[in-house]
Amino acid sequence: MWLSSRSSKRPANSSPSPRRTSTAASRPTSPGSTLAEVLRKNPFRAGSKESLSRKDEDDPSISLNKDLSVLADFFPDIKIEVLRELLIRFDGDSRLPICTEQLIKYKVEWARGRVNIPPRGLEEPIAVEEQFRTREYIDAVKWTLGREFNGLSKGAIDAVLAEVNHSYTLARPTLQAIASRSWRNTFTNLFKKRRSQSEAPSVLLEKTKTDTGSARVLSTGSQELDGELSALFTTPIQSHREDQQAADLKIAQALNTQEAEEADALFECQVCYNDFAFEDVSACTQSDHTICLDCVRRTLHEAIFGQGWAKSVDVERGTLRCLATDSCDGCIHQDLVKRAILRDKSGTETWTKFEDRLAEYNLQTSALQLIRCPFCSYAEAEQTYDRASAANLTWRFRRPGGVNIFMFILLLELLPGILFLLIPFMLFFPNFFVGLFYTALGHAALQKRTSRFTCRRPSCARKSCLQCLKAWHDPHVCHEPLILSLRKTVEAARTAAVKRTCPRCGTSFVKSSGCNKLTCVCGYSMCYLCRKNIGKAGNNSEGGEGYRHFCEHFRPTAGMKCSECDKCDLYRAEDEDAQVKRAGQEAERLWREREGMVGVKGLENAVGNVAGQDTLWARFWEGRWSVQGVVDGVVERCVVVDID
């Protein structure tokens, strides 16, 4: 039986066709292919089977804006729109690392010429229009623009919003230009009042029941968009209204002066001798001297911005003195002074400066220890601890660390003698020792205070350092540029104190061991102590002293100074530590005088304790100790103060 097959038979001599294989190495790599591969393998992408089961964030724009801020700080030369486009392509916790890697590898391909020239500043905030918008804001913008431009399609509005990051302020001019070209808009405007582009649309205004003449913008359901609409439409109207009111006030004042002149009801200013109406004059509190408000305003301006503060301002009463005569002890009421100042366009700012200067005077006369904001006039009293407040501090004994056995034995030996001397004084003067302890607790609490200061003035609210009075940056280093300069100066002086330089070839070297006769590679010989040229023995052109430069007398005790001659010692070494210390102190003193930093604190740790470690024993040895200082040192090492 023959079996038939429908498959065609291959000839015997035919060879199988080669299969085409493609390897990943043969494919050209590009940012697009890399991005596609990353997106395919990203377990956090939307709809991925490998994605973790977790609840979606209520507002994803918060995390997106955080990542955007990080990328903007790392890549200040790239425009924000590039970073936004990159961030929205990824999802999940791996978004920021992947975006950073893409920008490092393919910055040019992603940017495509969209760079910042010059780059953004490190402290420059990202504009609100360039940040990711919340869902609430996007929905409100779409509803508002759809209501305003009901003649345009939803797709056109969405396309324009996508171009401007869903910003209402930026999208409205483009939509107005598109709507003006449509026949429906032209036909509709024939029967409606024509409005300017900066004027609020009528569909977004609502009439109030109490005042039919005033209109306000409808609530959109988004506080951010409501504020944007208010700044776009309401604020210019209010500004125009204020300008109109100022112009009307000038006309009213002129008419009032004219009517007062016709009724012979003018008052003469006893400073400028001009006539003014009753509403434009003030009077002192003692002799009823008549002074016009213009003179009051000019005098206060001169007092604040000129040289008339001590002469014109009564700081005790917080107002101006009588300007009519120097013999009058009266003053102008503060309400009249404020009324005169607020007539000016910048009157609010001027009055604020006047109050700040009065507050500054009161703070100076109070003799309080103050903490000041370096960026504004805000000041607050520094927290101090007297005996009563220090008694309320919470403290505990410090947990002992590594104990020095020799110091422990020494303290045990000296403890009976110390108690024998202190117990009689503690019995007769207990308050003195209690006061020393609580004062030391207060000092320990002040040392534990942080150096970061936040201004509580709402218009400032900046953070600064109490040590260097500069803006606070994390991590913060006080006087960082000055520290680098001081460190280089002191280190150079320390090195020069132990360094020797060959005058023949200029080679510098430091002696580590051996005798005090130094021989350079060029053959020049010198004394390490006095730096004299001693040369080779018998060679008069080089000095000719050789080892005869050093003392050759016998001394029964090694290390003692010779009593028969003043020659240098061959093996006696200088105290290099003391020499380095003196050189560092002198270099720091000269640097402070040159830079004008004498007495400025915060540079003590710049060069690793230039003056040596200021320990309790060092202060005692140099005579810079006191009873309170000893108690402070003991409390600092044995007690921990807890501050809320």
Side-chain angles (χ1 to χ4, degrees), residues 107-129:
K107 179 189 290 188
V108 178
E109 289 80 358
W110 281 111
R112 296 179 182 177
R114 293 173 292 179
V115 295
N116 295 319
I117 301 176
R120 292 176 59 257
L122 185 60
E123 298 181 358
E124 183 179 354
I126 302 176
V128 180
E129 292 79 6

Side-chain angles (χ1 to χ4, degrees), residues 172 176 193-201 233:
R172 188 168 184 264
Q176 284 177 337
K193 179 182 177 181
R194 190 175 185 86
R195 292 176 175 266
S196 62
Q197 293 185 353
S198 60
E199 191 175 357
F233 300 125

Side-chain angles (χ1 to χ4, degrees), residues 430-615:
N431 294 330
F432 175 74
F433 289 94
V434 173
L436 289 177
F437 175 72
Y438 284 133
T439 303
L441 278 183
H443 293 167
L446 289 177
Q447 291 181 359
K448 201 173 181 180
R449 182 187 59 188
T450 179
S451 299
R452 184 174 62 180
F453 173 72
T454 303
C455 180
R456 297 185 181 181
R457 192 171 189 172
S459 59
C460 180
R462 298 183 63 180
K463 297 179 181 179
S464 58
C465 178
L466 294 177
Q467 302 295 332
C468 62
L469 301 180
K470 302 295 182 182
W472 184 274
H473 303 286
D474 291 323
H476 182 76
V477 180
C478 294
H479 304 291
E480 187 171 8
L482 297 176
I483 285 177
L484 297 177
S485 175
L486 176 59
R487 181 180 290 118
K488 291 180 180 179
T489 303
V490 174
E491 288 178 352
R494 285 175 169 179
T495 305
V498 296
K499 181 184 67 175
R500 301 294 183 265
T501 303
C502 176
R504 177 185 293 176
C505 64
T507 303
S508 299
F509 44 85
V510 177
K511 190 192 78 169
S512 58
S513 61
C515 65
N516 290 328
K517 181 186 177 184
L518 303 179
T519 302
C520 182
V521 292
C522 66
Y524 185 85
S525 298
M526 61 183 295
C527 175
Y528 179 77
L529 299 179
C530 65
R531 299 172 179 81
K532 183 179 180 181
N533 177 16
I534 56 179
K536 296 181 180 180
N539 189 352
N540 294 328
S541 62
E542 292 287 339
E545 290 182 328
Y547 284 102
R548 290 177 298 174
H549 172 76
F550 302 98
C551 177
E552 299 176 350
H553 296 98
F554 173 77
R555 278 168 281 182
T557 304
M560 292 184 59
K561 188 176 182 180
C562 181
S563 59
E564 299 182 13
C565 66
D566 295 332
K567 292 184 177 181
C568 299
D569 292 336
L570 181 60
Y571 286 99
R572 185 178 181 181
E574 290 183 334
D575 189 358
E576 293 185 355
D577 294 337
Q579 193 172 0
V580 167
K581 179 180 177 181
R582 289 194 300 269
Q585 290 176 347
E586 182 66 17
E588 182 181 4
R589 184 185 65 81
L590 295 176
W591 181 88
R592 286 181 177 270
E593 292 178 355
R594 183 176 68 252
E595 299 292 337
M597 301 292 292
V598 178
V600 177
K601 298 181 179 180
L603 302 174
E604 290 78 8
N605 298 325
V607 288
N609 290 327
V610 174
Q613 191 173 4
D614 192 17
T615 60

Side-chain angles (χ1 to χ4, degrees), residues 207-228:
K207 296 286 185 177
T208 59
K209 296 181 180 180
T210 56
D211 187 5
T212 57
S214 62
R216 62 180 182 180
V217 181
L218 288 170
S219 177
T220 60
S222 173
Q223 294 182 357
E224 184 179 359
L225 182 58
D226 290 343
E228 187 175 352

Side-chain angles (χ1 to χ4, degrees), residues 87 189 298 344 393 402 486 525 536:
L87 284 171
N189 288 337
R298 287 193 295 267
D344 199 1
L393 291 173
L486 176 59
S525 298
K536 296 181 180 180

Side-chain angles (χ1 to χ4, degrees), residues 3 103 128 186 198 201 249 277 284 323 338 343 375 410 440 503 558 616:
L3 297 177
L103 288 174
V128 180
T186 305
S198 60
L249 179 61
C284 71
L323 307 178
K338 185 176 181 180
R343 282 189 172 188
F375 309 109
L410 180 62
L616 182 62

